[in-house]
Amino acid sequence: MRSSLAQQRLHDLPRRAAKTKAAKAHTPGFYVKAGYSLAGLAVLVILWSLGTRWLQSSIPLAGQLGPQETFASLYELVTSNQLTTHTIVSLKRVLTGLLLALLIGVPTGLAVGGSRRLENATGSAFQFLRMISPLSWMPIAVMVFGIGDAPIYFLLTFAAVWPIMLNTAAGVRQLDTRWMMLARSLSAAPSEILLRIVVPGILGHVLTGVRLAIGIIWIVLVPCEMLGVSSGLGYFILDTRDRMAYSELMAVIVLIGALGFILDTVAQKIYQHWSHKPGSR
């Protein structure tokens, strides 16, 4: 009888944990945090409005940069479908650069983190390259790859590969060596060790690197899209400047901030979801 009761309690544990997690998500603290976030955004908009009004006395064009004009232009651009193509193109470039950085950074990080000699041999070179601004490669990227998406992919990949590679290497170094020894003692194949021990053990570090990489890519993207391409949010900013449509320019800036915030939030939620899974640590 006691055994069946214990088994029933064990069976109910996941459901109770799920209920507890859902309850925490709807606690007053959750709404308080959301209220503070909205209040912070409201203060930012107020300061923005006050700043444009203060500048308007000396720079008449500053009146087109205010929140009211900006949000009106953003609504018009979105409803008229003028930003859809540019947004999709920019997101495609971000995802392509991130994918290329993962394909390069994760294997390199695995190799560097797993070999002390390789780490000593490449550490200084990687740190030297990491300190070079990706934008400084713009003239060379255009000269080598020409005009188009290719130089943009190169610059975004160069910007994003370092946090992914370094975090992957850090994750490999922090793996518990006892698990590796146990796997080898059980005659596990290298592929089994990689897939069952190494990858789950470093996934948290890789996701952290991905989140950092997204932030860097999103910052580098706009100037990269000013390299002679005819689409993308960076290109649209240049276009609004040339047309002196300053309210539209501010609208695109707000959209860039909103999309970057969404991308970072998604990456953060993915990391939190993984880190709370049983056996993820």
Side-chain angles (χ1 to χ4, degrees), residues 131-147:
M131 289 297 125
I132 300 175
S133 169
L135 299 180
S136 63
W137 295 98
M138 289 173 67
I140 298 176
V142 173
M143 182 173 61
V144 174
F145 298 104
I147 300 295

Side-chain angles (χ1 to χ4, degrees), residues 62-127:
Q64 300 183 37
L65 306 178
Q68 183 176 354
E69 294 78 8
T70 297
F71 289 118
S73 294
L74 181 59
Y75 177 79
E76 182 180 350
L77 290 171
V78 171
T79 54
S80 61
N81 208 29
Q82 295 186 50
L83 289 176
T84 304
T85 301
H86 297 289
T87 302
I88 292 174
V89 169
S90 291
L91 291 175
K92 174 193 168 186
R93 288 167 178 158
V94 167
L95 293 177
T96 302
L98 184 62
L99 178 61
L100 291 173
L102 281 168
L103 292 176
I104 297 171
V106 172
T108 307
L110 287 171
V112 171
S115 172
R116 184 63 64 179
R117 291 182 180 179
L118 185 60
E119 179 187 359
N120 293 333
T122 60
S124 298
F126 285 158
Q127 290 297 332

